[in-house]
Amino acid sequence: MTTSLITGATSGIGAAFARRLAAAGHRLVLVARDEERLRRTAAELGARYNTAAEVLPADLAEDDGIAAVEARLRDPGARVQVLVNNAGFGHRGRFLETSVTDESRMLKVHCEAVLRLTSAAVPAMRERRHGFVINVASTAAFMPRGTYGASKAWVVSFTEGIARELDGSGVRFLALCPGLVRTEFHERAGMDPGKAPSWAWLNPNKVVATALRDLSRGRTVSIPDPRYKLAVALARHTPPALFAAASQRTTRRYDPKL
């Protein structure tokens, strides 16, 4: 039976991955900070899909939390064939309005945890010549704005780089870059989702379905919606100053404090 480990597994895209992989018969290792919520999620998935769902409480903004997940990934007795690095969060406010401590915690979760967990999982996958790593980034990776966009750009670059280095190894890598997704992410960041137009929102289940389809097709970057594919293409080909001005106007409609 395939074992899949998912970080940030109790809500949003992480929970959608958990449901989809459980439905496919995978054994799950669910990682998140809230142990009580993890146990509820594991019980629900186990009952609904008749699969084993292990819980691993860990705060990936802390060294001890990352180390606990690293140890689980390296455990030779319970091999993980699929790793989904999904944990993440955002901040409201401009760069100088956010503390360096909070920005550093974001980098810890978005970059260091992804690096360390991927490094822990991949050697055994390569030895078996089979495995999958999905790193959840964002379209913000192509539309830079502060630490969040920069950290997600790192995730995309890191994923593309290791995919090239390990081409032919049997291990596949995917950077998933969704736009706005209906999850708890925005409320936790203190943003008002009601300010964004309804057409901009993506369904997490559809995002996951597209990601897994792109992974099966051998793609390394997945942008799961034609509208966001167009937005990324425009970002890549529009003069930076012009695109930044347009992006700032759009962002202020979403959050007037920015």
Side-chain angles (χ1 to χ4, degrees), residues 7-141:
T7 69
T10 56
S11 65
I13 293 173
F17 267 113
R19 290 190 296 270
R20 182 70 178 239
L21 297 174
H26 291 213
R27 180 187 293 111
L28 302 178
V29 182
L30 307 177
V31 179
R33 292 181 300 170
D34 188 333
E35 182 172 359
E36 181 180 348
R37 192 173 184 185
L38 269 176
R39 294 194 180 283
R40 286 200 308 269
T41 301
E44 291 166 4
L45 290 170
R48 182 173 180 181
Y49 299 106
N50 191 31
T51 191
E54 174 187 340
V55 302
L56 178 51
D59 184 350
L60 298 183
E62 303 291 342
D63 280 327
D64 288 348
I66 298 175
V69 185
E70 284 178 308
R72 180 61 181 79
L73 288 166
R74 292 191 176 112
D75 181 358
R79 299 179 300 179
V80 172
Q81 292 99 328
V82 179
L83 169 63
V84 181
N85 283 311
N86 167 72
F89 60 95
H91 293 309
R92 183 184 186 185
R94 294 175 181 269
F95 173 64
L96 292 179
E97 295 171 356
T98 305
S99 73
V100 172
T101 298
D102 287 342
E103 297 277 46
S104 297
R105 287 176 65 82
M106 178 183 288
L107 289 174
K108 190 92 168 176
V109 175
H110 292 182
C111 300
E112 183 178 339
V114 169
L115 169 65
R116 289 172 57 180
L117 299 189
T118 301
S119 298
V122 167
M125 292 180 182
R126 183 173 60 175
E127 184 177 341
R128 296 190 299 268
R129 297 194 62 78
H130 178 73
F132 304 91
V133 177
I134 300 172
N135 294 326
V136 178
S138 169
T139 53

Side-chain angles (χ1 to χ4, degrees), residues 11-14 180-188 193 201-202 204:
S11 65
I13 293 173
L180 295 174
V181 184
R182 290 202 179 278
T183 69
E184 299 173 3
F185 174 92
H186 303 90
E187 289 89 342
R188 288 177 176 176
W201 293 98
L202 304 179

